[in-house]
Coordinates of all heavy atoms in Angstrom, one line a residue:
M1 N 0.8 -1.2 0.0 CA 0.0 0.0 0.0 C 0.9 1.2 0.0 O 1.9 1.3 0.6 CB -0.9 0.0 1.2 CG -1.8 1.2 1.3 SD -2.9 1.4 2.7 CE -2.9 -0.1 3.5
V2 N 0.5 2.2 -0.8 CA 1.2 3.5 -0.8 C 0.2 4.6 -0.5 O -0.9 4.6 -1.0 CB 1.7 3.7 -2.2 CG1 2.4 5.1 -2.4 CG2 2.7 2.7 -2.6
T3 N 0.6 5.5 0.4 CA -0.3 6.7 0.7 C 0.5 8.0 0.4 O 1.6 8.1 0.8 CB -0.7 6.7 2.2 OG1 -1.4 5.4 2.4 CG2 -1.6 7.8 2.5
V4 N -0.2 8.9 -0.3 CA 0.4 10.2 -0.5 C -0.5 11.3 0.0 O -1.7 11.3 -0.2 CB 0.6 10.4 -2.1 CG1 1.2 11.8 -2.4 CG2 1.4 9.3 -2.7
Q5 N 0.1 12.1 0.9 CA -0.6 13.3 1.4 C -0.1 14.5 0.7 O 1.1 14.6 0.4 CB -0.4 13.4 2.9 CG -1.1 12.3 3.7 CD -0.9 12.4 5.2 OE1 0.2 12.6 5.6 NE2 -2.0 12.3 5.9
Y6 N -1.0 15.5 0.5 CA -0.6 16.7 -0.3 C -1.4 17.9 0.2 O -2.5 17.7 0.8 CB -0.8 16.5 -1.8 CG -2.1 15.9 -2.2 CD1 -3.2 16.7 -2.4 CD2 -2.2 14.5 -2.3 CE1 -4.4 16.1 -2.7 CE2 -3.4 13.9 -2.6 CZ -4.5 14.7 -2.9 OH -5.7 14.2 -3.2
S7 N -0.9 19.0 0.1 CA -1.6 20.3 0.4 C -1.1 21.4 -0.5 O 0.0 21.4 -1.0 CB -1.3 20.7 1.9 OG 0.0 21.0 2.1
C8 N -2.1 22.3 -0.8 CA -1.8 23.4 -1.6 C -2.4 24.6 -0.9 O -3.6 24.7 -0.7 CB -2.5 23.3 -3.0 SG -2.1 24.6 -4.1
P9 N -1.5 25.5 -0.4 CA -2.0 26.6 0.4 C -3.1 27.4 -0.2 O -3.1 27.7 -1.4 CB -0.7 27.5 0.6 CG 0.4 26.6 0.4 CD -0.1 25.5 -0.5
S10 N -4.2 27.6 0.5 CA -5.4 28.4 0.1 C -6.3 27.6 -0.9 O -7.3 28.1 -1.2 CB -5.0 29.8 -0.4 OG -4.5 29.7 -1.8
L11 N -5.9 26.5 -1.4 CA -6.7 25.7 -2.3 C -7.3 24.4 -1.7 O -8.4 24.1 -2.0 CB -6.0 25.4 -3.6 CG -5.6 26.6 -4.5 CD1 -4.9 26.2 -5.7 CD2 -6.9 27.3 -4.9
G12 N -6.5 23.7 -0.9 CA -7.0 22.5 -0.3 C -5.9 21.5 0.1 O -4.7 21.8 0.0
Y13 N -6.3 20.3 0.4 CA -5.4 19.3 0.8 C -6.1 18.0 0.7 O -7.3 17.9 0.4 CB -5.0 19.5 2.3 CG -6.2 19.4 3.2 CD1 -6.6 18.3 3.8 CD2 -6.8 20.6 3.6 CE1 -7.7 18.2 4.7 CE2 -7.9 20.6 4.4 CZ -8.3 19.4 5.0 OH -9.4 19.4 5.8
G14 N -5.4 16.9 0.8 CA -6.0 15.6 0.7 C -5.0 14.5 0.7 O -3.8 14.7 1.0
Y15 N -5.5 13.3 0.5 CA -4.6 12.1 0.4 C -5.1 11.1 -0.6 O -6.3 11.1 -0.9 CB -4.4 11.5 1.8 CG -5.5 10.5 2.2 CD1 -5.4 9.2 1.9 CD2 -6.5 11.0 3.0 CE1 -6.4 8.3 2.2 CE2 -7.6 10.1 3.4 CZ -7.5 8.8 3.0 OH -8.5 7.9 3.4
T16 N -4.2 10.4 -1.1 CA -4.5 9.3 -2.1 C -3.8 8.0 -1.6 O -2.7 8.1 -1.2 CB -4.0 9.7 -3.5 OG1 -4.7 10.8 -3.9 CG2 -4.3 8.5 -4.5
Q17 N -4.6 7.0 -1.6 CA -4.1 5.7 -1.2 C -4.3 4.6 -2.3 O -5.3 4.5 -2.9 CB -4.9 5.2 0.0 CG -4.2 4.2 0.9 CD -5.0 4.0 2.2 OE1 -6.2 3.7 2.2 NE2 -4.3 4.2 3.3
V18 N -3.2 4.0 -2.7 CA -3.2 2.9 -3.7 C -2.8 1.6 -3.0 O -1.8 1.5 -2.4 CB -2.2 3.2 -4.8 CG1 -2.3 2.1 -5.9 CG2 -2.6 4.6 -5.5
R19 N -3.7 0.6 -3.2 CA -3.5 -0.7 -2.5 C -3.4 -1.8 -3.6 O -4.4 -1.9 -4.3 CB -4.6 -0.9 -1.5 CG -4.4 -2.2 -0.7 CD -5.4 -2.3 0.5 NE -6.7 -2.5 0.0 CZ -7.7 -1.7 0.2 NH1 -7.6 -0.6 1.0 NH2 -8.9 -1.9 -0.3
F20 N -2.4 -2.5 -3.7 CA -2.2 -3.6 -4.6 C -2.6 -4.9 -3.9 O -1.9 -5.4 -3.0 CB -0.8 -3.7 -5.1 CG -0.3 -2.5 -5.8 CD1 0.4 -1.5 -5.2 CD2 -0.6 -2.4 -7.2 CE1 0.8 -0.3 -5.8 CE2 -0.2 -1.2 -7.9 CZ 0.5 -0.2 -7.2
E21 N -3.8 -5.4 -4.3 CA -4.3 -6.6 -3.6 C -3.6 -7.8 -4.2 O -3.3 -8.7 -3.4 CB -5.8 -6.7 -3.9 CG -6.7 -5.6 -3.4 CD -6.8 -5.6 -1.9 OE1 -6.6 -6.6 -1.3 OE2 -7.2 -4.5 -1.4
N22 N -3.5 -7.9 -5.5 CA -2.8 -9.0 -6.1 C -2.5 -8.6 -7.5 O -2.8 -7.5 -7.9 CB -3.6 -10.3 -6.1 CG -5.0 -10.2 -6.7 OD1 -5.1 -9.8 -7.9 ND2 -6.0 -10.5 -6.0
P23 N -1.8 -9.4 -8.4 CA -1.4 -8.9 -9.7 C -2.6 -8.6 -10.6 O -2.5 -7.9 -11.6 CB -0.7 -10.1 -10.3 CG -0.1 -10.8 -9.1 CD -1.2 -10.7 -8.0
E24 N -3.8 -9.0 -10.2 CA -5.0 -8.7 -11.0 C -5.9 -7.6 -10.5 O -6.9 -7.2 -11.1 CB -5.9 -10.0 -11.2 CG -5.3 -11.0 -12.2 CD -4.2 -11.8 -11.5 OE1 -4.3 -12.1 -10.3 OE2 -3.2 -12.2 -12.2
L25 N -5.6 -7.1 -9.3 CA -6.5 -6.1 -8.6 C -5.8 -5.0 -7.9 O -4.9 -5.3 -7.1 CB -7.4 -6.9 -7.6 CG -8.4 -6.1 -6.8 CD1 -9.4 -5.4 -7.7 CD2 -9.1 -7.0 -5.8
V26 N -6.2 -3.8 -8.1 CA -5.6 -2.6 -7.4 C -6.8 -1.8 -6.9 O -7.8 -1.6 -7.6 CB -4.7 -1.8 -8.3 CG1 -5.3 -1.3 -9.5 CG2 -4.0 -0.7 -7.5
Q27 N -6.7 -1.2 -5.7 CA -7.7 -0.3 -5.2 C -7.2 1.1 -5.1 O -6.0 1.3 -4.7 CB -8.1 -0.8 -3.8 CG -8.6 -2.2 -3.7 CD -10.1 -2.4 -4.2 OE1 -10.8 -1.4 -4.2 NE2 -10.4 -3.6 -4.5
L28 N -8.0 2.1 -5.3 CA -7.6 3.5 -5.3 C -8.6 4.2 -4.4 O -9.8 4.1 -4.7 CB -7.5 4.1 -6.7 CG -7.3 5.6 -6.7 CD1 -5.8 5.9 -6.4 CD2 -7.7 6.1 -8.0
E29 N -8.2 5.0 -3.5 CA -9.1 5.9 -2.7 C -8.4 7.2 -2.6 O -7.2 7.3 -2.3 CB -9.3 5.3 -1.3 CG -10.2 6.2 -0.5 CD -10.4 5.7 0.9 OE1 -10.0 4.5 1.2 OE2 -10.9 6.4 1.8
T30 N -9.2 8.3 -2.8 CA -8.6 9.7 -2.6 C -9.7 10.5 -2.0 O -10.9 10.4 -2.3 CB -8.1 10.3 -4.0 OG1 -7.5 11.5 -3.7 CG2 -9.2 10.4 -5.0
Q31 N -9.3 11.4 -1.1 CA -10.3 12.3 -0.5 C -9.5 13.5 0.1 O -8.4 13.5 0.3 CB -11.1 11.6 0.6 CG -10.3 11.2 1.8 CD -11.2 10.5 2.9 OE1 -12.4 10.5 2.8 NE2 -10.6 9.9 3.9
G32 N -10.3 14.6 0.3 CA -9.7 15.8 0.8 C -10.7 17.0 0.6 O -11.9 16.8 0.5
I33 N -10.1 18.2 0.6 CA -10.8 19.4 0.4 C -10.2 20.2 -0.7 O -9.0 20.3 -0.8 CB -10.7 20.3 1.7 CG1 -11.2 19.6 2.9 CG2 -11.4 21.6 1.5 CD1 -12.7 19.3 2.9
E34 N -11.1 20.6 -1.7 CA -10.6 21.4 -2.8 C -11.5 22.6 -2.9 O -12.7 22.5 -3.0 CB -10.7 20.6 -4.1 CG -10.1 21.4 -5.3 CD -10.2 20.6 -6.6 OE1 -10.6 19.4 -6.6 OE2 -9.7 21.1 -7.6
N35 N -10.9 23.8 -2.9 CA -11.6 25.1 -3.0 C -12.8 25.1 -1.9 O -13.9 25.6 -2.2 CB -12.2 25.3 -4.4 CG -11.1 25.6 -5.4 OD1 -10.1 26.2 -5.1 ND2 -11.2 25.0 -6.5
G36 N -12.5 24.6 -0.7 CA -13.4 24.7 0.4 C -14.5 23.6 0.4 O -15.3 23.5 1.2
L37 N -14.5 22.7 -0.6 CA -15.5 21.6 -0.7 C -14.8 20.3 -0.6 O -13.8 20.0 -1.2 CB -16.2 21.7 -2.1 CG -17.0 23.0 -2.4 CD1 -17.5 23.0 -3.8 CD2 -18.1 23.1 -1.4
P38 N -15.5 19.3 0.1 CA -14.9 18.0 0.3 C -15.1 17.2 -1.0 O -16.0 17.3 -1.8 CB -15.8 17.4 1.4 CG -17.1 18.1 1.3 CD -16.7 19.5 0.8
F39 N -14.1 16.2 -1.2 CA -14.3 15.3 -2.3 C -13.9 13.9 -1.8 O -13.1 13.8 -0.8 CB -13.5 15.7 -3.5 CG -12.0 15.6 -3.3 CD1 -11.2 14.5 -3.5 CD2 -11.3 16.8 -2.9 CE1 -9.9 14.5 -3.3 CE2 -9.9 16.8 -2.7 CZ -9.2 15.6 -2.9
N40 N -14.4 12.9 -2.4 CA -14.1 11.5 -2.0 C -14.3 10.7 -3.3 O -15.4 10.7 -3.9 CB -15.0 11.0 -0.9 CG -14.6 9.6 -0.4 OD1 -13.5 9.2 -0.6 ND2 -15.6 8.9 0.1
F41 N -13.3 9.9 -3.6 CA -13.4 9.1 -4.8 C -12.8 7.7 -4.6 O -11.7 7.7 -4.0 CB -12.7 9.8 -6.0 CG -12.7 9.0 -7.3 CD1 -13.8 8.9 -8.1 CD2 -11.6 8.3 -7.7 CE1 -13.8 8.1 -9.2 CE2 -11.5 7.6 -8.8 CZ -12.7 7.5 -9.6
E42 N -13.4 6.7 -5.0 CA -12.9 5.3 -4.9 C -13.0 4.6 -6.2 O -14.0 4.8 -6.9 CB -13.6 4.5 -3.8 CG -13.5 5.1 -2.4 CD -14.2 4.3 -1.4 OE1 -14.5 3.1 -1.6 OE2 -14.4 4.8 -0.3
A43 N -12.0 3.8 -6.5 CA -12.0 3.1 -7.8 C -11.3 1.7 -7.6 O -10.5 1.6 -6.7 CB -11.3 3.9 -8.9
E44 N -11.6 0.8 -8.5 CA -11.0 -0.5 -8.5 C -10.5 -0.8 -9.9 O -11.2 -0.5 -10.9 CB -12.0 -1.5 -8.1 CG -11.6 -2.9 -8.1 CD -12.6 -3.8 -7.6 OE1 -12.8 -3.9 -6.3 OE2 -13.3 -4.4 -8.4
G45 N -9.3 -1.3 -10.0 CA -8.7 -1.7 -11.4 C -8.5 -3.2 -11.4 O -8.0 -3.7 -10.4
R46 N -9.0 -3.8 -12.4 CA -8.8 -5.2 -12.6 C -8.1 -5.6 -13.9 O -8.5 -5.0 -14.9 CB -10.2 -6.0 -12.5 CG -10.8 -5.9 -11.2 CD -12.1 -6.8 -11.2 NE -12.7 -6.8 -9.9 CZ -12.4 -7.6 -8.9 NH1 -11.5 -8.6 -9.1 NH2 -13.0 -7.5 -7.7
R47 N -7.2 -6.5 -13.9 CA -6.6 -7.0 -15.1 C -7.5 -8.1 -15.7 O -8.0 -9.0 -15.0 CB -5.3 -7.7 -14.8 CG -4.6 -8.2 -16.0 CD -3.2 -8.7 -15.7 NE -2.7 -9.3 -16.9 CZ -1.6 -10.0 -16.9 NH1 -0.9 -10.3 -15.8 NH2 -1.1 -10.5 -18.0
L48 N -7.9 -7.9 -17.0 CA -8.8 -8.8 -17.6 C -8.2 -9.8 -18.5 O -8.8 -10.8 -18.8 CB -9.9 -8.0 -18.4 CG -10.7 -7.0 -17.6 CD1 -11.6 -6.2 -18.5 CD2 -11.5 -7.7 -16.5
G49 N -7.0 -9.5 -18.9 CA -6.3 -10.5 -19.8 C -4.9 -10.1 -20.1 O -4.4 -9.1 -19.5
R50 N -4.3 -10.8 -21.0 CA -2.9 -10.5 -21.3 C -2.8 -9.3 -22.2 O -3.7 -9.0 -23.0 CB -2.3 -11.7 -22.1 CG -2.1 -12.9 -21.2 CD -1.6 -14.0 -21.9 NE -0.3 -13.6 -22.5 CZ 0.5 -14.5 -23.2 NH1 0.2 -15.7 -23.3 NH2 1.7 -14.0 -23.7
C51 N -1.7 -8.6 -22.1 CA -1.4 -7.4 -23.0 C -0.7 -7.9 -24.2 O 0.2 -8.8 -24.1 CB -0.5 -6.4 -22.3 SG -1.2 -5.6 -20.9
H52 N -1.1 -7.4 -25.3 CA -0.5 -7.8 -26.6 C 0.3 -6.6 -27.2 O -0.3 -5.5 -27.3 CB -1.5 -8.3 -27.6 CG -2.3 -9.5 -27.1 ND1 -1.8 -10.8 -27.1 CD2 -3.5 -9.6 -26.5 CE1 -2.7 -11.6 -26.6 NE2 -3.8 -10.9 -26.2
G53 N 1.5 -6.8 -27.5 CA 2.3 -5.7 -27.9 C 2.8 -5.8 -29.3 O 2.7 -6.6 -30.1

């Protein structure tokens, strides 16, 4: 798991967390305050198959 905290004076702050569950699954969560308003976002990434190059 990786967590990044950030702040921008007078604009806001927040954190983003990326969690690698296994080679096929990653979780993302981010939340904070931007321009005085709260935000919260969660996403999941899944590997569906092989990459072809």
Side-chain angles (χ1 to χ4, degrees):
M1 180 180 351
V2 175
T3 302
V4 177
Q5 293 181 309
Y6 46 89
S7 65
C8 185
S10 76
L11 291 178
Y13 60 90
Y15 81 88
T16 299
Q17 198 169 60
V18 180
R19 188 172 63 237
F20 298 93
E21 301 286 342
N22 58 54
E24 287 82 33
L25 178 63
V26 63
Q27 303 281 342
L28 172 77
E29 178 185 349
T30 186
Q31 65 179 352
I33 302 291
E34 182 179 3
N35 293 320
L37 298 172
F39 67 88
N40 184 26
F41 177 76
E42 295 180 20
E44 178 177 279
R46 291 187 178 269
R47 180 178 176 189
L48 299 177
R50 293 179 56 175
C51 294
H52 299 283

